[in-house]
Amino acid sequence: MNIYSSIRDLRGVGPKTAETLEKCCIFSIIDLLLYFPRDYEMISACDSLQGDKNYGKVIIKCEVVRIEKDIRTKSGKVLTTIVFSDGNSEFKGKWFNQPYIKNYYRLNKEYTLMGKLQEFRGEIILSNPTLVKEKVNISTEEKIIPKYPLRSGITNNLMIKLISQVLQEVEIEENLPMWIINKYKLCSLDTAMRIIHSPKSSEELHEASKRLKFQELFTYSLKILMLKDYLNKNKNGISFKIHEELKMLKEQLPYALTKAQSRVVRQILVDQKKGIPMNRLVQGDVGSGKTIVALISIFNVIKNGYQGVMMAPTEILATQHYLEAEKLFKDFNINIRLLCGSTTVKNKEKIKQGLKDGEIDLVIGTHALIEDDVEFMNLGMVITDEQHRFGVAQRSRLSNKGKNIDTLVMTATPIPRTLSLYLYGDLDVSIIDELPPGRQIIDTYYINKAGKDRVYNFALEEIKKGRQVYVVCPLVEENEELKLSSVENLYSELKEKYFQDTEIEILHGKMSPKLKDEIMNRFKRGETKIIVSTTVIEVGINVPNATLMIIENAERFGLAQLHQLRGRVGRGKHKSYCILIADVKNDIIRRRMEIMKSSNDGFFIAEQDLKIRGSGEIFGVRQHGESSLILSDVIDDIELLKLANLEAKRLIESNIENDIKVKEEILRKIEQSSRFICFN
Ligand code: ADP
Ligand code: MG
């Protein structure tokens, strides 16, 4: 057996287990080994019940002294109690609603149990203990049990069993250059893999995880650096001219561009002139005016005789862009179409034909654009708006509809400058770091739940003045445990309590795109005064008449996200407000709310948020599950990332034979896979 053997070759893996594993993308031994624990449970051996009052999770050898009668508690649960002894003292094992548990235990017999040991009203209690069947060495200080991500039928025990079996049979070949291993005193890959799946101590685990993280960040840096190199060597890009009509377009713009916008347009035009395909990321805070920058650049491509495509994550956004393009290009003889999921079949056919014939110059739309039968005669440029909303595969599918075309991605998720260098090494980054003039500051306040009445009465006042209001809350379904206001409950509550005579609507992610668009459009037309929603309204929507953003359970959101949400108001001439209703139960939350209150600068907020929270939330990586980094966290591991990046550069410049082999291997993989790696 080797690491590429199929899991079906493993002892104890029948067709059913194999199917379960395959559903989680575990096909071969290596996939199994790369299925890392998401966490570990640290359990200490408890050899004495005396003295220590703060036991925590323990593993303990004991004997059954007595099995008590089950009790029905006030809340209707069945409580089973068995009294054990560790030889010196007695303690009680307690289980809720598992009366059958008694059958597993015999009087005076010895067992090894695992559970949380606590002192409660003078008694020592082991709550909900489980039997430890495997032989464990209680004398070792601690036992560390890996916790695997459990998806579609995978159990922790299954993973532990299979992986320990595999580790006995295979040896894993080293894959980092020796000079790196020696320099950073890393343990071998084989050792690291063994430890990560079955650590004996926390120190050991730390070493193994350092090695694997380094590896991951190193490979990641290599890929990005080589990709950049590869892209730069591709001289088959289209060299667009700066078209003379560009000047006329600029004269006709409804407003003067900000300095930042002009700079970014210039950077893009320089890219367009080059014979190297453009790969540029435009970052700009909410409302910084990315759309017009995109439209100006695609205008030049079209005037050079090529087609352009622009993809947005929702129909509303696509429509918004479409209307803006129509307005901007009305005197320039450009044939523009909108292609969305809701476009009629007949129309879709027409548009597809027009794109194939080259009759249509610019198509703006949603995911519908990436369907296979959307083909272009001569595509020159692809723009993706709010890029973090799309998967890597979706983006590259769009780019692959042309050959060596220019690619522009736009995002409002501000990435601190220090990071973007490492994260977007393969992309050129432009930043629009200035808002159009006359933008008003949105007054932001935070308030405890107790102040809700005041907040919603203020909302009523705004509505009386003719304005509109957004209310956002975190979860769709009621979650009793977390006591979060769900959108449905909140909606009923608000309607009944404050807005009986006001047009109020609900909007959430589980609705069909069509319904969502209808609701949003009613809001846009001003027919609805208040919209209660989950974060589906987060991206790009423009309703200038909305002046108040109320966010419930604001402590549950990342700051970057709060900032995005706040950006939905303050888009017109009226004074706008953002009110955060938050349970300020600790200092961190207070600090975060203060940052929101005191700053309107997306980059500053993101930097601050990074300091307080991990990067996952910021990039939305965890939610979307789309990062190529499994173990590392770009923020926590920034130092390691810097070193890995440095060594990756060194490897690329190295001429040692073995290093060259490593490089070739990676390059081959890059050429096989999609054109560019993108982060989310
Ligand atoms: P975002 O960067 O969030 O996508 P948009 O492109 O939607 O921002 O622009 C937000 C609003 O600002 C739009 O109504 C747009 O017309 C307006 N706008 C963009 N650039 C300028 C500018 N230079 N001067 C004035 N208004 C502008
Ligand atoms: Mg936008």
Side-chain angles (χ1 to χ4, degrees):
M1 189 195 298
N2 65 44
I3 56 170
Y4 300 109
S5 310
S6 159
I7 43 152
R8 289 177 184 258
D9 298 344
L10 277 172
R11 258 181 296 120
V13 175
K16 224 172 152 194
T17 310
E19 259 170 49
T20 307
L21 292 169
E22 284 164 3
K23 245 188 252 157
C24 297
C25 289
I26 303 174
F27 296 95
S28 57
I29 303 297
I30 180 81
D31 298 333
L32 194 62
L33 290 173
L34 290 176
Y35 199 84
F36 294 125
R38 67 173 160 76
D39 203 0
Y40 298 87
E41 192 159 52
M42 307 283 179
I43 297 159
S44 50
C46 182
D47 45 16
S48 162
L49 288 173
Q50 269 127 27
D52 196 354
K53 290 269 154 66
N54 207 353
Y55 306 103
K57 193 117 190 180
V58 300
I59 204 160
I60 187 166
K61 258 200 183 124
C62 53
E63 213 180 273
V64 176
V65 178
R66 191 167 70 243
I67 299 179
E68 297 192 347
K69 258 189 121 162
D70 287 355
I71 298 172
R72 192 165 280 274
T73 64
K74 271 184 217 144
S75 55
K77 289 178 185 157
V78 181
L79 178 63
T80 302
T81 306
I82 299 181
V83 181
F84 296 94
S85 163
D86 74 336
N88 295 314
S89 335
E90 292 188 353
F91 66 91
K92 287 183 173 173
K94 286 186 188 275
W95 294 262
F96 280 107
N97 288 340
Q98 300 174 64
Y100 50 84
I101 212 95
K102 298 187 290 287
N103 305 330
Y104 302 156
Y105 295 89
R106 300 270 173 275
L107 267 181
N108 301 328
K109 267 200 76 175
E110 192 172 82
Y111 298 91
T112 305
L113 294 180
M114 189 169 80
K116 209 168 152 198
L117 197 63
Q118 288 162 300
E119 203 177 272
F120 185 68
R121 293 191 184 145
E123 288 186 323
I124 302 174
I125 306 227
L126 190 65
S127 343
N128 210 17
T130 49
L131 266 174
V132 181
K133 288 187 191 129
E134 24 166 344
K135 283 211 167 65
V136 285
N137 188 358
I138 299 267
S139 61
T140 48
E141 294 269 296
E142 52 182 0
K143 181 170 170 61
I144 304 178
I145 297 180
K147 295 256 155 223
Y148 290 96
L150 303 180
R151 291 192 291 252
S152 36
I154 283 189
T155 66
N156 212 41
N157 281 339
L158 175 72
M159 294 312 279
I160 291 177
K161 196 184 97 198
L162 292 180
I163 290 175
S164 73
Q165 185 188 334
V166 164
L167 286 174
Q168 277 169 20
E169 293 182 28
V170 299
E171 197 170 320
I172 304 154
E173 216 178 304
E174 186 50 60
N175 64 357
L176 275 184
M178 271 324 278
W179 51 269
I180 290 186
I181 297 214
N182 293 336
K183 183 167 174 187
Y184 295 101
K185 298 195 176 59
L186 301 173
C187 61
S188 77
L189 181 58
D190 188 69
T191 311
M193 291 295 258
R194 278 167 210 286
I195 294 174
I196 207 92
H197 287 294
S198 126
K200 304 261 169 335
S201 68
S202 327
E203 291 81 43
E204 200 183 75
L205 186 58
H206 180 75
E207 283 305 304
S209 118
K210 179 176 137 195
R211 146 82 213 215
L212 293 173
K213 280 180 178 177
F214 187 91
Q215 164 130 27
E216 181 173 63
L217 296 166
F218 177 73
T219 319
Y220 175 69
S221 301
L222 259 184
K223 267 195 218 156
I224 283 195
L225 290 167
M226 291 172 83
L227 194 57
K228 171 131 190 155
D229 204 43
Y230 174 75
L231 292 173
N232 281 342
K233 280 198 188 117
N234 177 359
K235 303 265 192 251
N236 300 322
I238 310 159
S239 178
F240 299 99
K241 288 197 204 51
I242 304 297
H243 199 270
E244 59 215 17
E245 281 188 66
L246 207 52
K247 239 201 209 135
M248 289 155 65
L249 177 72
K250 282 190 183 161
E251 276 161 16
Q252 285 203 14
L253 294 182
Y255 36 72
L257 293 183
T258 62
K259 271 204 211 95
Q261 282 172 318
S262 304
R263 186 184 64 235
V264 174
V265 168
R266 254 193 329 270
Q267 289 168 339
I268 295 170
L269 291 177
V270 168
D271 281 358
Q272 287 186 353
K273 260 168 85 175
K274 284 186 199 156
I276 303 167
M278 166 166 78
N279 265 292
R280 188 170 283 279
L281 171 76
V282 173
Q283 274 182 273
D285 210 342
V286 189
S288 61
K290 294 183 288 293
T291 320
I292 192 122
V293 170
L295 289 176
I296 294 172
S297 19
I298 214 156
F299 177 85
N300 191 47
V301 166
I302 293 164
K303 285 294 163 191
N304 271 264
Y306 289 84
Q307 291 167 295
V309 52
M310 187 165 171
M311 180 164 74
T314 63
E315 293 214 17
I316 297 175
L317 268 185
T319 312
Q320 219 166 266
H321 292 337
Y322 170 76
L323 294 175
E324 199 162 341
E326 285 264 272
K327 217 163 47 189
L328 197 64
F329 299 152
K330 68 176 186 304
D331 300 334
F332 291 92
N333 189 28
I334 293 178
N335 194 355
I336 315 171
R337 287 290 182 282
L338 178 67
L339 181 67
C340 297
S342 71
T343 310
T344 61
V345 178
K346 207 169 136 209
N347 249 333
K348 263 189 196 159
E349 285 314 311
K350 263 197 201 152
I351 295 172
K352 284 173 188 168
Q353 197 54 46
L355 288 171
K356 233 184 191 164
D357 298 345
E359 185 205 315
I360 298 172
D361 303 306
L362 173 59
V363 64
I364 298 177
T366 57
H367 301 80
L369 290 167
I370 56 180
E371 282 169 22
D372 281 336
D373 57 350
V374 178
E375 294 166 76
F376 294 83
M377 190 173 89
N378 63 340
L379 186 60
M381 183 184 201
V382 163
I383 299 180
T384 319
D385 191 18
E386 307 296 352
Q387 61 98 18
H388 65 286
R389 287 278 157 146
F390 292 101
V392 180
Q394 290 174 320
R395 276 192 303 268
S396 45
R397 268 178 76 186
L398 192 58
S399 293
N400 288 336
K401 290 188 185 290
K403 250 194 160 165
N404 301 312
I405 54 170
D406 282 2
T407 303
L408 189 71
V409 291
M410 303 196 289
T411 180
T413 311
I415 318 275
R417 287 162 188 82
T418 41
L419 256 182
S420 64
L421 184 68
Y422 299 107
L423 289 183
Y424 292 121
D426 60 322
L427 297 175
D428 296 304
V429 180
S430 291
I431 299 176
I432 307 183
D433 50 4
E434 183 184 353
L435 292 182
R439 275 293 151 75
Q440 29 155 328
I441 299 269
I442 301 158
D443 282 353
T444 304
Y445 307 94
Y446 63 92
I447 191 162
N448 249 313
K449 278 215 158 64
K452 252 177 132 166
D453 262 352
R454 269 172 60 209
V455 176
Y456 286 105
N457 284 325
F458 179 63
L460 274 172
E461 278 171 37
E462 282 295 294
I463 291 165
K464 248 184 239 153
K465 283 192 218 154
R467 305 287 85 77
Q468 286 164 281
V469 177
Y470 293 104
V471 181
V472 174
C473 74
L475 281 182
V476 185
E477 273 139 292
E478 182 74 358
N479 186 335
E480 229 191 32
E481 228 175 324
L482 292 167
K483 290 218 181 69
L484 293 174
S485 36
S486 81
V487 69
E488 268 137 9
N489 280 8
L490 184 66
Y491 169 78
S492 331
E493 180 197 329
L494 294 180
K495 191 173 163 71
E496 198 174 302
K497 241 171 141 176
Y498 308 99
F499 305 114
Q500 278 168 354
D501 307 319
T502 314
E503 295 82 2
I504 176 169
E505 282 210 83
I506 179 171
L507 179 76
H508 59 72
K510 293 201 171 157
M511 294 171 162
S512 71
K514 190 162 165 263
L515 186 56
K516 275 192 262 187
D517 277 354
E518 280 168 20
I519 294 169
M520 252 347 275
N521 281 329
R522 278 197 287 277
F523 189 68
K524 266 188 125 160
R525 290 195 298 265
E527 293 160 22
T528 312
K529 302 298 175 201
I530 312 173
I531 207 150
V532 183
S533 85
T534 52
T535 51
V536 285
I537 53 141
E538 174 190 349
V539 277
I541 287 158
N542 203 12
V543 182
N545 191 45
T547 52
L548 175 58
M549 166 63 70
I550 299 171
I551 302 173
E552 293 252 353
N553 290 105
E555 76 282 355
R556 298 270 307 168
F557 293 93
L559 293 191
Q561 209 179 5
L562 288 176
H563 181 65
Q564 285 270 322
L565 288 168
R566 176 168 63 184
R568 298 305 109 220
V569 298
R571 302 190 143 233
K573 51 185 185 296
H574 308 288
K575 173 86 204 146
S576 294
Y577 310 87
C578 173
I579 302 181
L580 308 167
I581 302 177
D583 184 7
V584 187
K585 54 179 177 261
N586 61 39
D587 247 18
I588 291 182
I589 296 176
R590 181 177 315 279
R591 257 167 64 207
R592 298 179 61 232
M593 294 303 125
E594 279 293 334
I595 291 167
M596 286 307 295
K597 187 177 158 189
S598 60
S599 175
N600 262 286
D601 175 348
F603 276 94
F604 174 79
I605 291 173
E607 298 252 12
Q608 296 303 309
D609 207 15
L610 273 183
K611 287 184 189 158
I612 308 178
R613 288 160 66 114
S615 63
E617 284 88 352
I618 299 227
F619 303 118
V621 165
R622 286 183 192 141
Q623 293 95 303
H624 296 271
E626 220 208 90
S627 158
S628 45
L629 299 177
I630 303 170
L631 291 169
S632 319
D633 178 292
V634 279
I635 305 313
D636 288 354
D637 302 316
I638 182 89
E639 291 310 315
L640 209 55
L641 176 58
K642 280 184 193 163
L643 292 176
N645 204 274
L646 183 82
E647 299 303 346
K649 271 193 194 129
R650 215 164 266 167
L651 177 72
I652 285 180
E653 283 152 22
S654 157
N655 284 319
I656 304 172
E657 196 182 329
N658 201 32
D659 290 352
I660 293 173
K661 262 201 255 158
V662 176
K663 277 191 286 190
E664 281 172 353
E665 179 70 15
I666 292 171
L667 196 61
R668 209 169 33 244
K669 281 187 185 149
I670 291 173
E671 284 178 16
Q672 278 166 7
S673 61
S674 61
R675 282 188 58 231
F676 62 104
I677 297 175
C678 248
F679 247 72
N680 286 278

